[in-house]
Amino acid sequence: MGFKLSNIPLALAIREVWRSGYSRRDFWADIGAGLTVCIIAIPMTMAVAIACGVQPEHGLYGAMIAGPLIGFLGGARLSVSGPVAELAVLIYPVVYQYGFGGLMLATWMAGLMLLIMGIAKLGRVIEFIPYPVTTGFIAGTGVVICALQIKDFFGLDLLTQPKYFLDRLLALVEAFPSWKLGDTTVGITTLLVMMVWPRFKLPVPGHLVAMIIGSLVGFWLPHFFPELSVATIGTRYGGIPQALPEFLSFSQNLDLETVRSVFGSAFAIAMLCSIKALLCAVVLDGMAGTKHNPNTELVAHGIGNLVLPFFGGIASTSALSRSVANLRVGAKSPLSSIIHGVSILAVILIFAPVFSYLPMAALAALLLMAAWNIFDVRHCLQIVRVGTRSDVVVLLICFGLTVLLDMVIAVGVGMVLAALLFMKQMANITGGRWLLEATQWNVHEPLPDNVMVYEISGPLFFGATEKAMSTLREHSAGLKVLILQMHNVPTMDISGVVALKSALESLYNKQIFVILSDVQKQPMDTLKRANVMLQPGKLAICETMSDSIALAKQAV
């Protein structure tokens, strides 16, 4: 049966692979894939950490711990987890305002939220977030990431980057006269290589080739032109520690005020992690023909992000580019993600001094390309061209809030918009109509005089009840018996009960006998709990329309 946490099976993907048959060839394929993804992940995770405003090694720690832990515990076979560029938009403001300790606290809280979401089996609920909402704030992160990289790409003398986008742009414009030719040359070279390399259709990752060429240009440029300087990880951060990450304690940050302050950011991190993780799993399922368990994925991501802060790793989730690369190079199971994390640890312990030579401008170019891919102009234009007016408005609102304010607000507003859109759609399918002909209720007998049938269709909840009940109140004059046909009401909440009781009281006052017909189980249970009971001469409940018409004849 395996270990379970509130009926959520852990390590589901790896156990399914083992049960289906795991060969020695699969093992060697996973080793090759894990080593390849390790090479891809190292520069990207360091670039993400720098974009977050923390030391580059914290990105490596995130991938090194999250990759194996989430891969082992998760419900998706081929996903690879680690720090992703989109999270930098959420993490940077936390570091800016609360420092590294505040970030670790926010990461831990986000992990706890993800764990609760998984235990509560909310994995499928994430799928109900409308496409314009997710596209809007993810596209906005691409723009913000781009703005965060301009400083290092051009080597600008900007000591700190302001928190908000417009202030950041103004600071960049003011600092632009300080641009440096050496950094700019390295950045443009790296970016051009990444743009051109895919045309050769070679199996070597383009950004790896670009980083090597960019680093070589950055290394040799000052030798040929001594007046040019190129900032590197070594000159900026002093290099990467050639050691295991230390166990950290952030208990000093656990005061109530700090928890309250970072709660919004933690929630936004949890939401983005869940969306990215499940979106990545869906994409991989479509490409590989596999099937993931969304609740297990959320629990695994929750546990991973709960552990990360104790080792200095930044918040992590499934990385789509690394996961797709994992699939394409032949990965067969979550073991490839575990090997990728172990390989990163080995690289840190052996080759950490080499990282000191990586140019900051080359890492900035790497994230600029990632930002372009995140922005995804094609999908945004598709919504504008094909979507409804409300879809476009939602897209622009989420995009604008992410860029101009911050993603915490955008995620919150996006979730509210998602709920409102859902309620609007449900309200649109909820309504009522008068049935005037016998064939409309599938009973081939005429209605007695002063008896009418009113059909309610769709869920009766707080966003849709008034639409169905208003017509009922307006056209009930002259009746002696009213049959409420409720066969097409699948669900009812307390607001629907209140609206129905209000309509019934209005009908009672007019001396109209009401018959509820064909009530489904959930609405019936709700009516019983609300004490809407049979009342002789006022209210009756029948199982079929035939019974309802027979009772109506007796009442008339």
Side-chain angles (χ1 to χ4, degrees), residues 488-554:
N488 292 322
V489 178
T491 183
M492 177 188 298
D493 69 359
I494 185 60
S495 298
V497 172
V498 171
L500 180 61
K501 290 178 71 173
S502 175
L504 291 176
E505 289 295 334
S506 176
L507 294 169
Y508 298 160
N509 292 335
K510 296 177 183 179
Q511 306 299 314
I512 297 174
F513 179 50
V514 181
I515 302 173
L516 302 183
S517 179
D518 297 272
V519 185
Q520 295 192 39
K521 184 179 186 305
Q522 193 279 337
M524 180 65 78
D525 293 340
T526 303
L527 291 174
K528 289 179 179 178
R529 288 196 300 270
N531 202 30
V532 178
M533 306 299 291
L534 302 180
Q535 300 183 47
K538 291 185 176 181
L539 177 66
I541 300 176
C542 294
E543 292 185 358
T544 66
M545 275 298 298
S546 297
D547 294 341
S548 299
I549 293 175
L551 182 60
K553 290 179 178 180
Q554 297 176 13

Side-chain angles (χ1 to χ4, degrees), residues 405-473:
L405 296 178
D406 63 53
M407 199 171 173
V408 176
I409 297 175
V411 169
V413 173
M415 295 299 294
V416 173
L417 286 175
L420 292 176
L421 286 173
F422 177 77
M423 287 187 289
K424 181 176 182 297
Q425 291 169 353
M426 291 296 100
N428 287 340
I429 66 173
T430 301
R433 61 171 182 157
W434 295 97
L435 302 183
L436 304 177
E437 299 178 5
T439 55
Q440 290 181 293
W441 57 82
N442 297 320
V443 177
H444 300 289
E445 57 181 293
L447 284 174
D449 294 336
N450 300 322
V451 176
M452 293 188 69
V453 178
Y454 185 77
E455 181 186 49
I456 303 175
S457 300
L460 283 179
F461 68 106
F462 65 94
T465 53
E466 187 59 31
K467 180 182 176 183
M469 297 302 174
S470 58
T471 306
L472 175 61
R473 296 190 188 99

Side-chain angles (χ1 to χ4, degrees), residues 191-404:
L191 195 59
L192 288 175
V193 173
M194 283 189 288
M195 295 170 63
V196 173
W197 185 256
R199 298 182 181 180
F200 297 106
K201 297 181 179 180
L202 296 174
V204 182
H207 80 269
L208 176 61
V209 177
M211 285 299 300
I212 294 173
I213 295 175
S215 299
L216 291 175
V217 172
F219 180 79
W220 289 108
L221 198 60
H223 288 76
F224 291 103
F225 303 97
E227 69 277 8
L228 299 181
S229 63
V230 176
T232 65
I233 288 181
T235 60
R236 178 73 61 82
Y237 298 103
I240 303 294
Q242 194 174 9
L244 293 171
E246 296 180 359
F247 184 83
L248 303 177
S249 173
F250 51 95
S251 58
Q252 67 272 15
N253 299 104
L254 289 178
D255 61 280
L256 184 60
E257 183 59 34
T258 305
V259 171
R260 187 185 298 115
S261 299
V262 302
F263 183 86
S265 297
F267 176 74
I269 291 172
M271 288 305 303
L272 184 56
C273 284
S274 62
I275 291 170
K276 286 285 294 180
L278 300 182
L279 175 63
C280 180
V282 169
V283 171
L284 293 173
D285 284 348
M287 296 176 67
T290 56
K291 186 176 181 180
H292 74 285
N293 185 306
N295 297 315
T296 301
E297 272 295 278
L298 291 182
V299 170
H301 277 76
I303 295 173
N305 283 282
L306 282 171
V307 172
L308 279 172
F310 294 102
F311 298 94
I314 59 178
S316 297
T317 186
S318 298
L320 183 58
S321 59
R322 277 163 261 169
S323 300
V324 171
N326 187 45
L327 167 65
R328 287 178 175 169
V329 296
K332 302 298 181 182
S333 76
L335 183 62
S336 62
S337 181
I338 297 173
I339 292 171
H340 127 274
V342 175
S343 301
I344 292 176
L345 172 60
V347 170
I348 291 175
L349 296 177
I350 299 172
F351 299 107
V354 177
F355 297 152
S356 299
Y357 297 99
L358 293 178
M360 299 297 297
L363 293 171
L366 187 64
L367 282 187
L368 282 175
M369 180 59 71
W372 173 256
N373 294 329
I374 290 169
F375 184 73
D376 206 339
V377 177
R378 181 171 58 87
H379 284 162
C380 293
L381 292 179
Q382 182 182 19
I383 293 176
V384 173
R385 185 174 63 254
V386 179
T388 63
R389 183 177 299 177
S390 62
D391 289 334
V392 176
V393 170
V394 169
L395 171 71
L396 295 177
I397 288 175
C398 292
F399 175 81
L401 289 174
T402 301
V403 173
L404 298 178

